[in-house]
Amino acid sequence: MSEGIQELHAAAGDVIVIEGHHVGDSRRTGEILEVLGEPGHEHYRVRWDDDRETVFYPSSDATVRRHGTARERSRG
């Protein structure tokens, strides 16, 4: 692992959060439905808070909230 780069380790059911990059950009959240790829090169099938599903390749702006779903958190 390179200095300054943090590996993202997530599992199905975790919530991924991506902060906006520019002033006025909103935060995106989504539930990880499936972990794809091999260890060290993981990517994820994600259901975003707008109900779209995509394959997501994480970068340094992504963080993970362990366990629970985005819907459970919004009801909480």
Side-chain angles (χ1 to χ4, degrees):
M1 177 167 46
S2 300
E3 184 177 328
I5 298 176
Q6 181 180 12
E7 288 185 40
L8 186 70
H9 297 287
D14 289 347
V15 174
I16 195 151
V17 179
I18 305 166
E19 297 296 337
H21 293 275
H22 305 284
V23 173
D25 285 353
S26 61
R27 170 188 293 174
R28 290 181 64 197
T29 60
E31 177 187 357
I32 296 173
L33 303 175
E34 181 180 9
V35 178
L36 307 167
E38 299 178 15
H41 300 285
E42 294 96 349
H43 47 287
Y44 309 98
R45 187 167 59 94
V46 176
R47 180 181 301 122
W48 298 102
D49 50 3
D50 63 2
D51 283 329
R52 291 183 309 137
E53 288 185 20
T54 64
V55 173
F56 177 71
Y57 290 80
S59 61
S60 61
D61 62 347
T63 57
V64 171
R65 293 183 193 156
R66 302 288 178 202
H67 307 293
T69 65
R71 287 191 175 106
E72 288 171 347
R73 291 181 189 283
S74 68
R75 283 186 244 157

